[in-house]
Every structure is written in structure tokens, then in C-alpha cells.
Amino acid sequence: MAELKALIFDVDGTLADTERDGHRVAFNKAFAEAGLDWEWSVEVYGELLRVTGGKERIKYYLEKYRPDFSVDGDLDAFIAGLHAAKTEFYKALMADPGLPLRPGVERLLREARDAGLRLAIATTTTPANVTALLRNSLAEDAEDWFEVIAAGDIVPAKKPAPDIYVWAMEKMKLSPEHCLAFEDSDNGVRSVVGSGIRALLVTVNDYTRDHDFSGATVVVDHLGEPGKPCRIIQGPDLIRKQVDVDALKAIHAHALS
Ligand code: XBP
Ligand code: MG
């Protein structure tokens, strides 16, 4: 049986509920600053989340909701400018008021570090967004906790393509059987499964609880904290109240058996 050596984390929706109160708000601020009357409601944003990547999401919105919209010059350049402004708003939001990590995330990261597990990130979001969340919500030096931060346009094909996980594993010189991934969405699950990683723990959130997670080993509501046990939604009963390193090893062993 291959040993569990590394944990690879998605960011948005997995480390923190960044989509509704972070990304969505930042997009709307960028639209308002640009004089556009676009306002992404919580509900519409749930539909737009089918498309990963902020620039790709804006493009999809224009095609579906604003088919008559046009700009002088290059549309991709216009979208890139709008998206750059959105990133600045997002970074500012992470600094003030900030966004808490999901239950159990900080606890598990600290336990995993102490146990000698290698940590990495594989996300669709812009690298600066990851930095802003980790520094403000986890620790000043939290970027250094992760051996590899694979993010954004580093690979051309975003999730659900497997490329970002494959890129992270190549950088770490690790094969899929030594890794366990954390995700929150069906697009993320497809990306993990396509990369060859079989050990996959999903924590659902309000935007994703109805997704198809058939590729996951275990699905829970959150990672659990002392006094706030997690609930298993799908998969074998391998977790006692909260996801700890022993539970991760059991999930990994079950996935590979
Ligand atoms: C995250 C995303 C990202 C963020 C926005 O998906 O889809 O697009 O919503 O980030 P995942 P950018 O959690 O599956 O990685 O605007 O920086 O692209
Ligand atoms: Mg996610």
C-alpha cells in the first residue's frame, strides 16, 4: 500500500467560503467602478460558478446575459482589465473585513504539518488571491506552509481539467497514489479524478451541496472542530467527530484498497 505523503487543497469554497462574500462582492465592485450596471446576485453567481476562472466567468456572463454588449477594441483585453480591478478589490476585502477559514481548516493544517505531511494548493483562482487569504486568515507566514502553490493561469486549462493537480504533483515529484486532495465542488472532483488522485475528501458548502460527488472517497459538511463535530454525508464511516491525520490515513487507505 502506498504511503500518504501529501495533502493538496483547493482554496475557494474549501479553505474558506470565498465565493459569495469575497469573489462575488469584488466582481460587483469592479463592475460599478467601471460604470457598468452589472450586479451579480447571490443566486445568479451560483449559476455563474459553473464556469471556473474569473475572466472566463465574465466572458460567459456576457455571452449568456448581455449578448448585445460590445467594447471598442479587444474584448479579452477589456475583460482582463476588469478582472485585474476585481483582484484588487478581492485583496482589499481579505485584509478588511477579512474572511474566516472554514471550521477545522487551521487545526488540520497545523496537525498535518506536525505529522510531516507535505502540503500544496491546487486552485483556479489568481495567485494574489491565495496569498491574501492565507496571510490574513491563517498566518503571516502561511504561504511558506505550502511546498507548492499551483494557481490561476499557470496552466491554460482550468478545472474541471486535471492540469492544475498534475502540475502540482510534477513540482513535488509525487505520484497520485501518495496524495490526498480536498475539494468542495463537482468541477474540483472531476479535476482530481482526472489527475489520477484517488483519495479525495469533499467538504460541501451552500453553493455545492447538491453537486454530484460520486468520484469522492468521503463527503462531509466540514472538517470539524472540538465541540463542532462533522457529519458524514457520503462514503464510509472513517471519521471520529473531526477530520484528523488518522482519519486522512484511513481515507487514503480506503481509496487505494
Ligand atoms: C475557483 C474559481 C475562481 C474564483 C475566482 O474555483 O472558480 O474562478 O471564483 O478567481 P476552484 P479569479 O475552487 O475550483 O479552484 O477571479 O481569480 O479567477
Ligand atoms: Mg473550490
Side-chain angles (χ1 to χ4, degrees):
M1 172 78 65
E3 186 192 347
L4 175 62
K5 293 184 179 170
L7 309 181
I8 310 182
F9 290 85
D10 170 49
V11 174
D12 296 305
T14 300
L15 295 187
D17 273 322
T18 47
E19 293 293 5
R20 195 188 71 176
D21 301 327
H23 291 294
R24 185 186 67 89
V25 175
F27 279 115
N28 284 335
K29 282 177 183 268
F31 300 155
E33 185 186 56
L36 298 160
D37 67 341
W38 311 344
E39 171 85 31
W40 288 358
S41 66
V42 170
E43 195 190 358
V44 164
Y45 194 68
E47 205 269 309
L48 298 176
L49 279 174
R50 306 310 307 160
V51 177
T52 59
K55 294 187 286 290
E56 294 81 352
R57 191 167 298 142
I58 295 171
K59 201 163 193 178
Y60 170 74
Y61 171 75
L62 289 178
E63 283 160 8
K64 185 159 178 199
Y65 292 87
R66 304 273 169 171
D68 298 332
F69 180 79
S70 65
V71 287
D72 294 335
D74 182 39
L75 180 63
D76 284 343
F78 173 79
I79 291 174
L82 206 49
H83 186 253
K86 175 258 168 178
T87 298
E88 292 308 311
F89 282 118
Y90 182 87
K91 282 159 50 185
L93 281 169
M94 291 305 108
D96 181 18
L99 207 66
L101 297 177
R102 295 192 62 190
V105 168
E106 178 169 354
R107 172 190 59 72
L108 185 62
L109 286 170
R110 290 186 183 278
E111 288 174 12
R113 264 160 64 83
D114 289 347
L117 288 170
R118 296 164 67 184
L119 304 179
I121 278 175
T123 175
T124 297
T125 203
T126 303
N129 297 343
V130 182
T131 308
L133 177 73
L134 292 179
R135 277 197 196 149
N136 290 294
S137 303
L138 184 53
E140 188 57 42
D141 68 340
E143 268 172 288
D144 302 337
W145 297 18
F146 298 89
E147 194 176 320
V148 168
I149 296 183
D153 298 327
I154 211 163
V155 290
K158 292 184 174 169
K159 297 175 188 177
D163 304 36
I164 197 77
Y165 278 95
V166 172
W167 193 93
M169 287 189 284
E170 276 173 11
K171 282 272 161 200
M172 298 172 93
K173 297 191 170 44
L174 276 175
S175 50
E177 65 269 24
H178 295 296
C179 302
L180 187 153
F182 294 76
E183 276 289 349
D184 71 302
S185 69
D186 52 4
N187 278 329
V189 167
R190 285 163 66 195
S191 177
V192 172
V193 170
S195 78
I197 297 175
R198 278 149 67 193
L200 170 55
L201 178 62
V202 167
T203 49
V204 301
N205 58 54
D206 285 346
Y207 274 133
T208 67
R209 61 183 79 256
D210 296 328
H211 285 190
D212 174 7
F213 293 124
S214 45
T217 318
V218 179
V219 179
V220 289
D221 53 353
H222 53 74
L223 295 175
E225 291 279 31
K228 187 178 169 70
C230 62
R231 184 172 61 85
I232 296 174
I233 296 169
Q234 178 189 307
D237 186 8
L238 299 169
I239 302 163
R240 279 183 212 296
K241 293 192 177 163
Q242 51 191 28
V243 178
D244 56 16
V245 171
D246 284 344
L248 296 180
K249 286 181 178 166
I251 292 166
H252 175 256
H254 180 88
L256 268 61
S257 63

